[in-house]
Amino acid sequence: MADNRGADPRDGDPEPRGAEGGEDVVDDPILEQGAVVLRGYVIERINTQDPSRQVSSEDLGGRPGEQQEPQIKEVVEQLLRIAEEMNRNAELQRLISQVQGDCAQDIFMEVARSIFADGINWGRVVALFHLAYKLIYKALTTNHLENIRTVIGWVLKVIKEQLYGWLVAQGGWEGVIRSFSRWRTVAALASVVLLASFVYYRKTR
């Protein structure tokens, strides 16, 4: 899935093309696949939490059928397994539930920086996706649909500015498949760092 062709997309425009709004016109495999994987993660989490709510990739700014690629499915599945460990942390879930659906970009970015302040691993990537999922779900349930693509754009910005080099080193998004045997440890570490991040978030509100 990784393709490190061409110039480093972290150079040049400050925003990935299409990031504001979530459309996949960024012309970069890491960012495009990141948006697809995030949408897949959000859709599957909603299917689990609220099965009566039918959400498609198109609702989240994606393309029809984008979730059918076998590698995308496998990546999303592994990320969801990491998330399941995080879901068992009651205090973490309580703190996440307090995040406002109209969370400002500067607050989102500050929390994201906090998540990755002392390192990157797949558990922390899931922590970022879990935060985005919560905001997107709130946008859906409160009928603030314009916020959905904005949140996806924020995640793409974080991927571009903070995670891009690390993802390339992992071989792209499918790197989580190869590291699956370590997911319980990674998830436990992610729970701790996300808990600390949300403590920071609450103090700065």
Side-chain angles (χ1 to χ4, degrees):
M1 294 171 63
D3 184 348
N4 194 23
R5 65 179 184 267
D8 188 337
R10 290 171 295 177
D11 299 331
D13 296 338
E15 293 278 352
R17 293 194 306 278
E20 184 62 36
E23 299 88 343
D24 293 349
V25 294
V26 292
D27 242 1
D28 180 278
I30 294 288
L31 296 175
E32 289 184 355
Q33 290 161 4
V36 175
V37 170
L38 173 60
R39 284 192 288 268
Y41 178 90
V42 169
I43 290 167
E44 292 303 320
R45 294 291 302 153
I46 291 174
N47 285 344
T48 299
Q49 179 171 333
D50 189 356
S52 65
R53 185 176 294 276
Q54 298 297 313
V55 179
S56 68
S57 284
E58 298 97 297
D59 295 327
L60 306 181
R63 300 179 301 274
E66 67 178 14
Q67 300 298 324
Q68 300 309 309
E69 182 183 338
Q71 285 180 322
I72 293 293
K73 287 183 175 181
E74 192 168 3
V75 169
V76 171
E77 179 182 339
Q78 306 300 11
L79 295 178
L80 288 167
R81 293 190 187 205
I82 295 173
E84 280 306 309
E85 190 74 10
M86 294 170 60
N87 287 341
R88 298 189 182 102
N89 187 317
E91 176 64 8
L92 176 66
Q93 295 306 312
R94 186 181 69 80
L95 290 171
I96 289 175
S97 70
Q98 296 181 21
V99 177
Q100 298 299 309
D102 57 353
C103 166
Q105 180 177 2
D106 59 340
I107 295 295
F108 182 94
M109 292 301 173
E110 192 62 42
V111 171
R113 281 192 290 271
S114 212
I115 290 172
F116 300 109
D118 60 349
I120 304 170
N121 59 42
W122 288 111
R124 296 180 185 202
V125 173
V126 170
L128 174 68
F129 276 26
H130 199 64
L131 171 60
Y133 153 69
K134 286 292 185 179
L135 295 177
I136 290 170
Y137 184 71
K138 284 186 176 182
L140 284 167
T141 55
T142 58
N143 202 34
H144 286 89
L145 304 184
E146 68 281 0
N147 292 343
I148 294 173
R149 295 184 178 188
T150 298
V151 171
I152 293 174
W154 292 349
V155 174
L156 290 178
K157 184 176 174 67
V158 172
I159 292 170
K160 179 185 179 184
E161 295 181 351
Q162 300 186 56
L163 308 182
Y164 192 91
W166 181 84
L167 285 165
V168 169
Q170 303 304 306
W173 291 93
E174 65 183 17
V176 72
I177 300 169
R178 292 188 291 274
S179 63
F180 175 64
S181 61
R182 302 191 298 275
W183 73 270
R184 286 184 181 276
T185 300
V186 169
L189 292 173
S191 294
V192 172
V193 73
L194 187 56
L195 180 61
S197 297
F198 275 103
V199 169
Y200 174 84
Y201 169 87
R202 292 177 68 198
K203 287 180 179 178
T204 57
R205 290 294 288 175

